[in-house]
Amino acid sequence: MAKDLEKHDLSSQSVEGSPGEDTLREPLAESHYHDTDVFGHEEDHEIVYKTLSWQLVAVLMIAEIVSNGMLSLPSSLAVVGLVPGIVLIVFLGVFGLFTSWILIRFKLRHPEVHNMGDAGMILFGPFGRELLSTGTIIFAVFATGGQLLAGQIALGSLSNGKLCLMLYPGIFTIPTLIFSLPRTLDRLSWLSVPSVFSILIAGIVGMVGAGVSFPVASISVTVNTSFVTAFISVTNPVFAYAGHFMFFILISEMKHPTHAMRAAWVLQTFATVFYVVFAVVLYIYVGPTVASPAFSSLPEKWQKAAYGIAIPNFLIAGSLYSHTAAKLLFVRFFRKSRHLYSNTVLGWGVWIFLVFTMNAAAFVLAVGVPIFNYLIGIAASLFASWYTYGIAGAFWLYDAYMYRGGKEAWKRNWPMTGLSIATLAAGAFICVAGTYVTIKQIVDAYKNHLVASPFTC
C-alpha cells in the first residue's frame, strides 16, 4: 500500500468508535488537525475557508443530495413493486450512513485529504490519485448536467415547450455558473438554505397534487421483471444518495471537523424518510405508469407548481457540483500557494476559468444525453457506486492494516473486515451491472428510435 501524503506519529493513539478499534490510529485533535490540513492556520489569510458549522454542512449535504435524483424513485417502485422498493431505499440509506461514518473517520485521521484524489494517493499512490480525481471531476460534471437537464424539463413544463429544448439548459447554465463562483462553500451554504426548502416544498406539492388528482391506483406489492429492467430500480436510489464524493471537500471547510458525523446523521435520516414517503405516495396515487421524473406524471397545474418551486434546488445543486469539480483542480494547482488563500489576479483568473469550464462541459452533457433515466444510470453506475459505497471499504481496510498490525488486525476485527469487503463487493457489483444495464437500455432505445438526436430541438 502507498504511503500517506504526510506521516504523523500517531499510530499508538486510540480511537473512539466501534468495538475492537482500541488501537486504531485516532482522528487528530482539532489543534493538531489544523497543522496538517490543506488550508492550515488561516489567521493571516485573505480568503478564509474553514468557516462552516456542522448545521450548515448538513444543509449543504441535503441541498446537493436531495434533488432531482429523488424524482426517479417512484418509477423504481413501479418496476420492482412497493415492498422491494421501500426495502431498497431504506437499505441504501442505512448503508450510506455506514459508509459516511467510515469516510469521516478516514478524513479525521488524514487531515491532508481534501478530496477523493488525495485519498486515492494514500491508498494506491499517484495512479490512485489520478484515477479518483478524474472520476470525481467526471461525476461532478455528470451531476451538474443532470441538474441542467432537470432545469430543462422544469422550464419546458412552465413554458409549455415553446422554445427549442437546447435553449432551456442554456438558460439554466447561466445562473448555475454564477452561483458556482464563490471561492468558499460558506457563501454557497446560505444559498442552500432556500434550496432545501425548495425541494421539500416541491415534494409536498407533488404529493398533494397526486393525492387530489388521482384515486388510489392499482399497485403491486412485488413485480416479476427482467434483470435489466429491475436493476434501474437500484441505480436510481444509488444516484439519489450520491453525495459522498463531496464529503472530504465539505469537511475540509468546517470550523470543527470532528462534528461532521452530526451532519451525516441529519442528511441520511432526512433523505431516507423523505425518499420513502415521496416514492410511496407518488406510486400509490399515480400507479405503475408513474414517469421519471415523477413530477411529469402530475396534471398540468400541479406539474408546473412542483417544477417551479423545485427550480432553486436544481440551480444550487448544480452549482455545488460544478464548484466541487473546480475546487478539486484549484486546490491541486495551488496547494500551499498564496494564490489559494489570497485575492491574486492569477488565483481568481484560474478559478473563474475552471468554473466556466465545468459548467460548459455540463451543458454539453445535458444537451447530448437528453434522457433523464439514462443520465442517472450512467452516473450512478460508474461513479456513485464507488464514491458512495465501495471505496469506503478500502478506507477502513487500509487504516486497520497500517495502524493496527497488518493482516492480524483484519483477523482480530473480523466483523468490520467482513463488512468492508462486502462494501467493496457491493460497489463493484453496482458499477459493473449498472453500467451493463444502462448501456443495453441506451442501445435498445436507439434501435427503437425512442431517443432524439443530441443537440437538436
Side-chain angles (χ1 to χ4, degrees):
M1 295 187 180
K3 294 183 178 179
D4 287 10
L5 295 178
E6 296 181 24
K7 285 292 184 182
H8 311 291
D9 185 19
L10 294 160
S11 58
S12 62
Q13 296 183 9
S14 61
V15 63
E16 300 174 2
S18 63
E21 292 192 47
D22 53 320
T23 58
L24 184 58
R25 176 185 183 183
E26 183 178 4
L28 296 181
E30 288 191 8
S31 58
H32 297 297
Y33 177 97
H34 295 298
D35 292 334
T36 54
D37 81 302
V38 63
F39 299 117
H41 294 279
E42 298 184 299
E43 291 82 359
D44 300 322
H45 292 181
E46 293 179 3
I47 299 173
V48 178
Y49 290 90
K50 294 183 290 188
T51 58
L52 294 173
S53 65
W54 72 264
Q55 293 92 340
L56 286 178
V57 170
V59 169
L60 283 163
M61 288 177 172
I62 293 172
E64 58 105 0
I65 290 177
V66 183
S67 189
N68 67 341
M70 81 172 195
L71 301 182
S72 65
L73 297 179
S75 66
S76 292
L77 269 60
V79 170
V80 298
L82 184 65
V83 173
I86 293 174
V87 170
L88 182 64
I89 293 171
V90 173
F91 170 76
L92 289 173
V94 174
F95 194 13
L97 182 62
F98 170 70
T99 56
S100 297
W101 175 76
I102 295 178
L103 264 64
I104 290 169
R105 304 296 285 185
F106 186 85
K107 164 62 177 173
L108 295 180
R109 294 185 185 107
H110 305 277
E112 68 275 14
V113 170
H114 173 260
N115 53 65
M116 282 290 180
D118 292 341
M121 181 68 179
I122 291 176
L123 294 182
F124 310 115
F127 172 78
R129 178 178 60 185
E130 303 307 327
L131 178 65
L132 295 189
S133 293
T134 302
T136 298
I137 294 168
I138 293 174
F139 179 62
V141 171
F142 258 77
T144 307
Q147 297 298 341
L148 297 182
L149 185 55
Q152 177 192 59
I153 296 170
L155 293 177
S157 173
L158 291 171
S159 65
N160 296 317
K162 292 181 179 179
L163 298 177
C164 171
L165 284 179
M166 282 185 60
L167 293 179
Y168 294 120
I171 294 170
F172 219 73
T173 301
I174 296 171
T176 301
L177 187 153
I178 293 172
F179 292 143
S180 307
L181 283 173
R183 289 264 289 270
T184 64
L185 285 167
D186 177 66
R187 303 290 180 88
L188 278 169
S189 68
W190 293 105
L191 291 173
S192 296
V193 174
S195 171
V196 171
F197 282 107
S198 164
I199 197 64
L200 176 61
I201 296 171
I204 293 172
V205 168
M207 289 186 282
V208 172
V212 301
S213 302
F214 305 109
V216 174
S218 176
I219 61 174
S220 300
V221 176
T222 61
V223 176
N224 291 322
T225 186
S226 67
F227 172 80
V228 171
T229 303
F231 206 81
I232 287 295
S233 66
V234 176
T235 58
N236 285 343
V238 166
F239 184 84
Y241 286 114
H244 290 49
F245 77 106
M246 284 183 61
F247 280 13
F248 292 151
I249 291 176
L250 287 168
I251 298 169
S252 294
E253 298 194 27
M254 290 184 70
K255 287 185 291 187
H256 304 292
T258 53
H259 296 169
M261 196 60 206
R262 300 178 188 179
W265 272 103
V266 173
L267 163 68
Q268 294 300 134
T269 302
F270 175 83
T272 303
V273 173
F274 190 50
Y275 286 170
V276 170
V277 173
F278 179 80
V280 169
V281 171
L282 266 293
Y283 176 53
I284 286 176
Y285 284 102
V286 179
T289 60
V290 63
S292 177
F295 288 161
S296 295
S297 296
L298 300 173
E300 183 178 354
K301 65 177 181 179
W302 290 101
Q303 181 183 143
K304 288 184 176 182
Y307 275 131
I309 295 169
I311 282 177
N313 175 267
F314 299 157
L315 284 172
I316 298 304
S319 299
L320 285 169
Y321 291 135
S322 57
H323 178 101
T324 297
K327 180 69 70 66
L328 185 152
L329 286 173
F330 188 75
V331 171
R332 177 77 177 270
F333 294 156
F334 295 123
R335 188 187 290 256
K336 299 186 183 301
S337 163
R338 67 186 182 90
H339 301 294
L340 183 65
Y341 53 80
S342 300
N343 291 308
T344 65
V345 173
L346 178 61
W348 274 106
V350 171
W351 174 251
I352 293 171
F353 172 77
L354 289 173
V355 169
F356 176 83
T357 300
M358 298 309 161
N359 282 279
F363 168 76
V364 173
L365 176 65
V367 298
V369 187
I371 301 298
F372 188 83
N373 254 358
Y374 298 157
L375 189 65
I376 291 174
I378 290 172
S381 301
L382 290 178
F383 308 112
S385 57
W386 290 108
Y387 293 142
T388 307
Y389 299 110
I391 195 68
F395 292 154
W396 188 90
L397 291 171
Y398 172 85
D399 274 346
Y401 184 92
M402 293 297 292
Y403 303 111
R404 292 187 59 207
K407 294 179 181 178
E408 289 300 317
W410 294 345
K411 294 177 182 178
R412 287 195 304 272
N413 201 1
W414 60 265
M416 272 301 298
T417 300
L419 283 173
S420 298
I421 294 171
T423 299
L424 280 167
F429 176 71
I430 295 171
C431 178
V432 174
T435 302
Y436 166 76
V437 166
T438 306
I439 291 175
K440 188 177 187 307
Q441 285 204 326
I442 292 174
V443 171
D444 291 343
Y446 275 104
K447 283 183 179 179
N448 296 321
H449 305 289
L450 299 176
V451 181
S453 300
F455 307 106
T456 63
C457 293

